[in-house]
Amino acid sequence: MKFSPLMLAWLLPGLAQAAASQDMAALEKLADRFMQQEMAPRQATYKLGKLDRRLVLSACASPRVDWSNTAQTTGNTALVIVCPDSGWSIRLPVSINEKQLGVVLTRSVSAGEVLQQGDVKLVEVANPAMARNVLSNLDLAVGQSMRSGAPAGSWLRSFMVHAPYLVRAGQPVKVEAGGEGFRVLSEGIANGNAAIGDAVSVRLNSGRVIRGVVLPDGTVSLSY
């Protein structure tokens, strides 16, 4: 079949456009790879939407994917796929379900025990209503001291732990008083328990009671 010049002039632009149309499935695969990378360090699952196959875009050699809103990367949100060369951009909906994890004791512990790595583990919180005050990171638990005892399998809540006491009631402590241009050292007896950074009162050998902050070496520091 022969085409007249007029028919060719009408057909060729359409054929060229069809040949150069962007493959929507390829964009969805690119978005899926982006989501796999983004979700790898997170305890979350996702479900990508679909691009409208009726949409015709010019083919892009190097499309880029990013969050449509970097401040919203959970729940119902969207990705944006951009073609720098052609100047088009499209949104692709994505739904993200963030798993909520909580710290659980793996054995029974007593008051005053300092938690070790094997004493705790992360477990998915099936009922978010139960997650109030539950620690969500093992680093927040390991090295902390228990305020009271708890059985194995208990959720570890923030009020159940504290930093280990560096100073205890009745313990002799050094007291450092300092200011601009001077530093004085003395000794006394702690009147309470305190961790690094906590305030504690101390009875000095002179009988005077002062209050200072516990330093990492156990010294109680006063500032003037």
Side-chain angles (χ1 to χ4, degrees):
M1 179 177 179
K2 293 184 178 180
F3 294 97
S4 67
L6 182 62
M7 292 178 66
L8 286 173
W10 180 79
L11 286 172
L12 287 176
L15 292 172
Q17 182 180 12
S21 293
Q22 175 63 50
D23 183 352
M24 294 298 165
L27 294 181
E28 289 172 350
K29 290 180 180 179
L30 183 66
D32 188 57
R33 289 197 296 271
F34 173 85
M35 287 303 301
Q36 289 178 26
Q37 293 174 353
E38 290 291 303
M39 296 299 104
R42 293 165 57 177
Q43 295 291 331
T45 57
Y46 67 92
K47 184 177 181 181
L48 280 171
K50 293 290 184 181
L51 294 173
D52 189 346
R53 294 300 191 271
R54 296 170 298 180
L55 186 64
V56 178
L57 299 172
S58 56
C60 187
S62 54
R64 300 174 185 172
V65 183
D66 203 350
W67 295 104
S68 176
N69 181 355
T70 54
Q72 186 179 352
T73 61
T74 190
N76 293 322
T77 183
L79 304 177
V80 61
I81 307 174
V82 178
C83 181
D85 299 330
S86 300
W88 56 253
S89 65
I90 50 175
R91 284 167 54 89
L92 178 60
V94 59
S95 177
I96 300 169
N97 181 27
E98 205 88 33
K99 291 183 180 179
Q100 193 163 3
L101 300 180
V103 178
V104 168
L105 291 170
T106 60
R107 65 176 182 86
S108 297
V109 294
S110 303
E113 280 196 70
V114 176
L115 296 174
Q116 306 299 319
Q117 193 73 40
D119 298 334
V120 289
K121 65 179 179 180
L122 282 174
V123 174
E124 184 175 355
V125 181
N127 183 1
M130 297 176 58
R132 186 177 181 182
N133 297 324
V134 172
L135 299 180
S136 59
N137 191 314
L138 293 178
D139 292 339
L140 300 175
V142 175
Q144 298 293 296
S145 181
M146 294 293 298
R147 294 186 185 276
S148 60
S154 299
W155 293 110
L156 192 62
R157 303 179 188 275
S158 56
F159 58 80
M160 297 169 63
V161 296
H162 63 82
Y165 292 139
L166 191 59
V167 170
R168 293 186 176 275
Q171 173 185 330
V173 293
K174 292 182 179 180
V175 177
E176 175 187 277
E180 187 174 352
F182 75 95
R183 180 170 176 264
V184 178
L185 293 176
S186 57
E187 295 183 348
I189 301 296
N191 289 332
N193 301 326
I196 297 174
D198 288 348
V200 65
S201 64
V202 176
R203 181 176 295 276
L204 300 177
N205 293 342
S206 64
R208 181 188 173 195
V209 176
I210 55 86
R211 192 169 180 81
V213 175
V214 179
L215 300 180
D217 64 356
T219 300
V220 177
S221 176
L222 309 177
S223 296
Y224 293 93

